């Protein structure tokens, strides 16, 4: 997991060849004006964004998830968001991965809970289980950029 400011995103370009296109998108797009739903950044599902307004949940009610096919770049747009994290090596075996949805999703504890502010981002790689949208029940605005990992 990486947590940093959007102005520093370009420092992480060496970590994945598709991150350069993500940096271009972040530099040239006003994220606050994107419509809710999917926004294709590269064709064929290589990079796309999901613009969402989910309701936050308590830490106990927030499911843990992980992906194998995609890297998540998560960006809160309007207010702080707490995101739980757990290394994949500590995820219980009961949390089963579904290749059709590229997700494992279910209840499990998380070992840390960084608070991510607007203007910041997190990167969750396939080795990072995460529990986004932890909060007090309010609706939040966020964007999740999905980057094909292979």
């Amino acid at each position: 997991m990486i947590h940093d400011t959007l102005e520093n995103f370009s420092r992480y370009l060496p970590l994945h060849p598709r991150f350069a296109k993500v940096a271009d998108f972040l530099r040239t797009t006003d994220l606050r004006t994107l419509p809710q739903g999917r926004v294709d950044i590269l064709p064929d599902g290589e990079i796309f964004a999901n613009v969402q307004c989910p309701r936050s949940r308590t830490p106990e009610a927030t499911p843990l998830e992980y992906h194998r096919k995609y890297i998540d770049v998560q960006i809160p747009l309007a207010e702080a968001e707490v995101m739980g994290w757990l290394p994949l090596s500590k995820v219980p075996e009961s949390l089963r991965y579904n290749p059709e949805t590229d997700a494992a999703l279910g209840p499990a504890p998380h070992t840390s809970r960084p608070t991510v502010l607007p203007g910041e981002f997190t990167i969750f790689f396939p080795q990072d289980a995460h529990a986004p949208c932890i909060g007090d029940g309010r609706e939040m605005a966020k964007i999740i950029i999905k980057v094909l990992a292979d």
Side-chain angles (χ1 to χ4, degrees):
M1 181 192 102
I2 294 170
H3 176 193
D4 204 342
T5 62
L6 286 170
E7 65 189 20
N8 288 333
F9 188 85
S10 62
R11 293 179 184 226
Y12 303 97
L13 298 185
L15 297 179
H16 196 282
R18 291 185 180 101
F19 281 1
K21 187 62 179 174
V22 173
D24 289 342
F25 177 77
L26 293 172
R27 189 173 38 259
T28 61
T29 305
D30 182 352
L31 301 177
R32 295 166 295 160
T33 64
L34 291 172
Q36 281 191 44
R38 182 175 168 142
V39 176
D40 288 314
I41 300 169
L42 281 181
D44 301 324
E46 286 184 57
I47 304 175
F48 61 94
N50 285 322
V51 182
Q52 304 175 345
C53 293
R55 189 162 299 282
S56 63
R57 299 165 288 220
T58 65
E60 301 75 29
T62 303
L64 194 68
E65 63 183 78
Y66 67 86
H67 315 286
R68 291 187 178 151
K69 187 176 175 184
Y70 283 94
I71 298 164
D72 277 7
V73 178
Q74 298 204 15
I75 306 165
L77 298 176
E79 62 183 62
E81 177 182 352
V82 176
M83 299 181 190
W85 175 83
L86 184 71
L88 189 60
S89 62
K90 294 186 178 180
V91 170
E93 287 185 26
S94 61
L95 198 63
R96 302 263 182 217
Y97 174 77
N98 180 341
E100 291 180 22
T101 61
D102 185 40
L105 185 67
H110 28 285
T111 56
S112 77
R113 293 184 188 140
T115 299
V116 186
L117 303 174
E120 298 177 350
F121 68 92
T122 56
I123 300 174
F124 294 110
F125 293 94
Q127 71 268 16
D128 298 311
H130 50 285
C133 304
I134 296 173
D136 60 6
R138 285 186 279 175
E139 189 174 274
M140 57 179 53
K142 68 181 298 178
I143 183 169
I144 303 166
I145 300 173
K146 306 289 277 186
V147 180
L148 193 61
D150 67 358

